[in-house]
Amino acid sequence: MHDTWALPDPDTQPEFYADVPAKRLLAFVVDTLVIVVLSLLVVPFTAFTGLFFFPLLMAVIGFAYRVVTIARGSATWGMRLAAIEFRTADGRRFDLGLAVAHTLGLTISFALPLLQVASIVLMLTRPRGEGLSDLVLGTVALNRRAAM
């Protein structure tokens, strides 16, 4: 088990975890829309052959989008809109390696729907709202701290 001493305690500081599962869903919807738009913008550059493998094109662009945005700010654009971010067990923001690992976990969960269902159940029932990838990596999504 990962040491989580640097993360806010869900019992004494529940505001850090309030509504995070719903915010993750909102962020997912926003991110999916961004990925669809980016994918549609790329299609003409494939001489429109990208339409024949559009789901694969979306998967590749989605993977890159998530890795880049998470590595640069510990959150995707959808997560930033929802005011949540990822943190490590010791409270640090994600680096490139962790962004890749977390995105890979998400991709595997999408490929195996049973894992995605398990991840959603975990997010809705655990005190810190961790999904399956979060549990494996020792990470958490929480409400962003207000800027001072």
Side-chain angles (χ1 to χ4, degrees):
M1 188 71 180
H2 295 280
D3 182 19
T4 55
W5 63 268
L7 292 174
D9 185 293
D11 294 325
T12 60
Q13 296 176 301
E15 63 274 11
F16 281 98
Y17 304 98
D19 303 319
V20 169
K23 289 179 174 186
R24 285 180 89 158
L25 177 61
L26 171 66
F28 174 77
V29 170
V30 170
D31 291 331
T32 300
L33 291 173
V34 169
I35 292 164
V36 167
V37 169
L38 291 173
S39 299
L40 288 171
L41 291 172
V42 168
V43 167
F45 295 101
T46 67
F48 294 94
T49 59
L51 291 173
F52 295 108
F53 56 91
F54 195 71
L56 178 62
L57 180 66
M58 272 189 55
V60 170
I61 289 173
F63 193 93
Y65 162 80
R66 289 180 191 284
V67 168
V68 169
T69 57
I70 292 171
R72 294 193 70 199
S74 215
T76 63
W77 291 346
M79 292 173 69
R80 292 173 196 170
L81 180 70
I84 57 176
E85 65 186 355
F86 287 124
R87 292 294 178 136
T88 63
D90 61 0
R92 289 179 294 116
R93 291 175 171 261
F94 278 26
D95 59 14
L96 178 60
L98 202 48
V100 169
H102 201 278
T103 302
L104 183 60
L106 179 70
T107 303
I108 292 168
S109 290
F110 285 160
L112 303 168
L114 189 59
L115 292 180
Q116 187 62 27
V117 170
S119 190
I120 292 167
V121 168
L122 288 169
M123 283 183 225
L124 294 172
T125 59
R126 295 197 40 93
R128 286 190 167 95
E130 305 104 316
L132 196 54
S133 295
D134 296 316
L135 283 177
V136 169
L137 298 171
T139 60
V140 68
L142 45 77
N143 289 312
R144 281 196 315 229
R145 293 180 174 97
M148 295 296 221

